[in-house]
Amino acid sequence: MAHQYKEPAGRREGSPLVHAAAGGVVASMAMSGMRRLTTALGLVPKTPPESVLEKTAPRAFSRVPVERRPAVVELVHWLYGSTGGAAFGLLPRGVRERRWAGPVYGVLAWAAFETAIAPALGLQRKRNTTAERLALLADHLLYGAVVASSCWRARER
């Protein structure tokens, strides 16, 4: 007979918001792995988080030693990811539980950045190549899938 794990008494399941925010951090980490590949292949010349930091905090970012800048970009990206994940956690449960919800959410997050956030920040985006658009689409599909899976796992407990 297999032993089944039993939650300790008094331990409460975290809220979907907390699971989704944590999932957003993990999803951003997964995106970063994919972006490492796509930038190394020359498909994405500069990541959006790096562009945002250079535009919105040029003085602060320029004071960071060059060898430490990738770490700052990464931490900021994880912060964005946790915020986006938390927003996913605020969606109605009936929406969050749909298998398509995460990938669609990821694509909508990308679309929001491209159509609203980047222009509002004054980011001059050159005309993206098809390869760059596909790479950014793929990493946002991945982001959404990972964020949504954090909510699925919370539900299965």
Side-chain angles (χ1 to χ4, degrees):
M1 181 159 100
H3 176 73
Q4 287 192 339
Y5 175 76
K6 185 176 179 182
E7 288 286 331
R11 181 175 172 164
R12 296 181 315 162
E13 181 179 314
S15 75
L17 179 71
V18 172
H19 285 283
V25 173
V26 173
S28 294
M29 291 174 177
M31 281 179 84
S32 295
M34 184 176 283
R35 289 224 177 124
R36 175 95 184 206
L37 173 66
T38 58
T39 55
L41 292 173
L43 301 174
V44 177
K46 185 182 284 190
T47 67
E50 186 176 2
S51 299
V52 168
L53 281 172
E54 288 173 350
K55 180 66 178 182
T56 62
R59 280 185 155 154
F61 194 59
S62 68
R63 283 187 271 214
V64 175
V66 174
E67 67 276 5
R68 300 283 186 242
R69 289 180 189 169
V72 171
V73 169
E74 196 62 38
L75 289 171
V76 167
H77 188 233
W78 295 354
L79 179 62
Y80 296 161
S82 68
T83 303
F88 183 83
L90 292 173
L91 293 173
R93 183 178 183 166
V95 173
R96 287 192 323 264
E97 291 180 349
R98 306 261 184 198
R99 293 283 179 194
W100 51 261
V104 167
Y105 183 78
V107 171
L108 290 174
W110 174 49
F113 179 81
E114 291 292 325
T115 62
I117 298 168
L121 294 175
L123 295 176
Q124 299 299 324
R125 305 278 295 163
K126 68 170 183 53
R127 207 64 194 144
N128 298 65
T129 64
T130 300
E132 184 177 5
R133 286 193 177 279
L134 289 173
L136 293 171
L137 172 65
D139 69 23
H140 282 84
L141 285 167
L142 174 64
Y143 172 82
V146 174
V147 166
S149 72
S150 68
C151 291
W152 297 335
R153 293 179 57 152
R155 183 184 74 220
E156 292 171 358
R157 288 186 172 162

